[in-house]
Amino acid sequence: MAKPEVFDVCVIGTGAGGGVMIDQLTAAGMRVVALERGPRLSLTDFDDDELRNVIRDQVFSRDQLETVRTEPGAPAQQGRISQIAHCVGGSITHWAAWSWRFRPDEFRVLSVDGPVAGASLADWPYGYDDLERFYERAERDFGVAGVGDANPFAGPRKNGFPNPPHPTRRSAELFARGAKKLGYTPFPVPMAINSQPYGGRPACMYGGACRSYGCPIHAKGTPFSVSIPRAEATGKLDLRAEARVFELPVGEDGRLLGARYFDRDGNTHEVRARQVVVAAGSIGSPHLLLLSTSSRFPDGLANGSGQVGRHFTFHHHPSCVALFDEDVRGYTGFESHAAIDDLHASDPKRGFIRGGVVAELNTFTHQPLAYGTLVADALPGPRWGAALKQKLRGFPRTVVLAGICEELPMPDNRVDLDPEVKDRFGLPVPRMTKRQHPNDLAMYRWYEKKLVEVAEAAGASEVHSGRLHGVHIDENTHQPSNAHNHGTCRMGDDPKGSVVDAWCRSHEVPNLWVVDGSVLPTNGGYNPTLTILANAYRVADHFIAEAKRQSL
């Protein structure tokens, strides 16, 4: 019998971090096996059916099961809670494609703002200048469109975006009008969506369905449209879909042997590899490490510090709903066309630290069911009969303004193993424990007032605080989930306070790497995906250099 192949690298997860690692390592000539728990979808699976994609979530995470609670001892909610995707290409397959670089100060939160009671602030082990060229590579590979110097509050950049900006839409023009009246500087949101044919992919058709949907023509930059096809073309990739990894076995020398997984029918398999890259996201990565117990690692793999699963963060989203007397066409284009960053810089005199970017968006105004169940609910009046019909007539006239606001990490906000609930393979499901820091609440209230001011300055005939179910936070209300998940395998120089080092290599297991959003020490006031992509390019370069030196 032939001996099983020992791969150079096993990558678990094919999303933003894993996709880039697969692409770059196969391009360097390494033999890679990629294990993805979800199926391989095709472009024919991608449509704009809101009921199938969003309400029933029948496309991207059919086997998802987890629990969430607000604090230890509190009752846990069970279900498909997190806004993630299990498929080849990962959650970024249904992302909205906002593509920000973090500001330089967002890599030094502890140094800039100092310690805050109840929070676990940290500096990143590297800075903006170290990541700038990798931001540029991510923008180039994923075809980001925008105006390079349009945001006067962004970090310095050496070159512009590879694609020109997209056309605007009426809702963005109104937002910009209000922002300018207040002295702010509106600019086009940088988007990883082709504004022209680019990278062998076509230009966007502006159908309005980006977030929570796959792109049926690959105009949106994703690992599914960019990284995976390139890796497969090398002939160096063995991609196995519907491979649910449940253990990373450890040899007597303390190094990983590879990975063990269930296939779709529950049969057990094992692959061997010299290096293992875990890229299963801020929920999946700590879940797998905590499942992988052994006599050497009784509390979970690489968890001697007890840090695996901790410092779990979302973003919070203060918002307002504005109705105008004209059709604002929010149901066209993509999620956001215009933003301001004037309010972003941290200023303790406001009663809180940190901040975020503000934008107009169509998250709920391009989808009639979401509008009817969420936005209309934020408007005054009954939810039935003639009053509801009148609310629904506001659909084409509605603009939502919202912030992408930084949350402070807390050590007790975490992902661990649920002791009671099991998945269909009999594995403990991830359990999320998450509540808001008082700084989040103060920031939310302040930004909500500012958003109302912008909407009123824009000439809206009605403006209401956007206290949408599942989004609004206050002393008694918490977000159960978010599209932005960070932390849980923190990156840092101190092994006592982090899981991986500055190169995302485990402090405790020399051939284990974690490359996804879980390594982010803090979450910035922007959508995080471009930063996850850029960090993955940075780690891949280091990984390849170490391989050439035979020091992996």
Side-chain angles (χ1 to χ4, degrees), residues 392-440:
L392 296 179
R393 291 188 184 100
F395 176 75
R397 299 185 291 110
T398 303
V399 179
V400 174
L401 310 185
I404 312 295
C405 290
E406 183 170 352
E407 279 192 355
L408 300 193
M410 295 191 286
D412 290 339
N413 282 348
R414 63 186 303 187
V415 174
D416 64 1
L417 305 180
D418 193 291
E420 299 177 356
V421 182
K422 305 283 195 300
D423 67 13
R424 73 183 182 94
F425 298 110
L427 303 173
V429 305
R431 178 177 64 179
M432 298 170 286
T433 303
K434 183 75 172 54
R435 61 187 175 88
Q436 303 293 154
H437 190 279
N439 191 83
D440 304 337

Side-chain angles (χ1 to χ4, degrees), residues 80-97:
R80 286 188 288 182
I81 298 163
S82 301
Q83 300 168 39
I84 56 178
H86 294 150
C87 61
V88 171
S91 295
I92 186 177
T93 304
H94 68 15
W95 74 320

Side-chain angles (χ1 to χ4, degrees), residues 252-512:
E252 293 182 357
D253 59 357
R255 296 175 68 90
L256 296 182
L257 301 172
R260 293 176 179 146
Y261 66 92
F262 294 117
D263 64 20
R264 178 176 53 189
D265 299 321
N267 301 307
T268 303
H269 302 266
E270 180 171 326
V271 293
R272 293 294 178 105
R274 298 178 184 86
Q275 302 289 325
V276 176
V277 176
V278 175
S282 290
I283 299 169
S285 288
H287 181 242
L288 175 57
L289 298 184
L290 293 172
L291 282 173
S292 300
T293 56
S294 62
S295 57
R296 185 185 290 264
F297 298 104
D299 297 320
L301 193 63
N303 194 30
S305 63
Q307 294 295 305
V308 171
R310 296 190 180 275
H311 319 291
F312 184 39
T313 57
F314 300 154
H315 283 119
H316 64 87
H317 307 289
S319 62
C320 78
V321 178
L323 276 75
F324 292 82
D325 295 331
E326 61 179 295
D327 184 341
V328 299
R329 301 188 179 278
Y331 45 83
T332 64
F334 34 76
E335 187 169 45
S336 180
H337 283 249
I340 58 171
D341 222 9
D342 304 73
L343 309 175
H344 197 137
S346 188
D347 181 2
K349 288 183 284 190
R350 299 187 296 196
F352 57 88
I353 64 167
R354 313 312 304 161
V357 70
V358 166
E360 62 87 30
L361 46 84
N362 75 355
T363 311
F364 306 112
T365 58
H366 79 276
Q367 306 176 116
L369 297 179
Y371 183 87
T373 55
L374 290 175
V375 179
D377 197 34
L379 303 177
R383 299 175 59 188
W384 61 87
L388 176 60
K389 290 180 180 178
Q390 184 60 32
K391 290 183 184 182
L392 296 179
R393 291 188 184 100
F395 176 75
R397 299 185 291 110
T398 303
V399 179
V400 174
L401 310 185
I404 312 295
C405 290
E406 183 170 352
E407 279 192 355
L408 300 193
M410 295 191 286
D412 290 339
N413 282 348
R414 63 186 303 187
V415 174
D416 64 1
L417 305 180
D418 193 291
E420 299 177 356
V421 182
K422 305 283 195 300
D423 67 13
R424 73 183 182 94
F425 298 110
L427 303 173
V429 305
R431 178 177 64 179
M432 298 170 286
T433 303
K434 183 75 172 54
R435 61 187 175 88
Q436 303 293 154
H437 190 279
N439 191 83
D440 304 337
L441 304 179
M443 188 192 305
Y444 187 99
R445 290 191 290 267
W446 188 89
Y447 269 81
E448 190 177 66
K449 294 177 182 175
K450 293 297 179 183
L451 293 170
V452 169
E453 291 175 4
V454 174
E456 291 175 342
S461 54
E462 287 184 47
V463 182
H464 306 279
S465 298
R467 300 186 174 182
L468 311 182
H469 177 71
V471 179
H472 178 65
I473 60 171
D474 59 28
E475 283 74 4
N476 302 309
T477 309
H478 305 267
Q479 289 186 91
S481 68
N482 198 283
H484 304 163
N485 301 292
H486 330 84
T488 69
C489 293
R490 177 174 270 188
M491 166 175 53
D493 294 326
D494 181 4
K496 295 180 181 177
S498 57
V499 177
V500 295
D501 66 14
W503 296 109
C504 297
R505 190 174 192 171
S506 166
H507 291 298
E508 301 176 20
V509 184
N511 63 338
L512 169 64

Side-chain angles (χ1 to χ4, degrees), residues 139 142-147 161-166 188-195:
E139 290 167 349
F142 286 75
V144 176
V147 180
F161 292 107
N163 269 319
H166 290 270
V189 175
M191 304 294 287
I193 297 174
N194 280 353
S195 56

Side-chain angles (χ1 to χ4, degrees), residues 14 40-43 46 88-89 93 218 222-229:
T14 58
R40 181 168 191 144
L41 303 174
S42 71
L43 295 185
F46 300 153
V88 171
T93 304
H218 278 333
T222 68
F224 187 56
S225 65
V226 175
S227 314
I228 301 299

Side-chain angles (χ1 to χ4, degrees), residues 86-108:
H86 294 150
C87 61
V88 171
S91 295
I92 186 177
T93 304
H94 68 15
W95 74 320
W98 306 37
S99 298
W100 307 101
R101 298 179 176 200
F102 280 13
R103 298 158 52 99
D105 67 286
E106 290 175 326
F107 294 84
R108 301 181 292 109

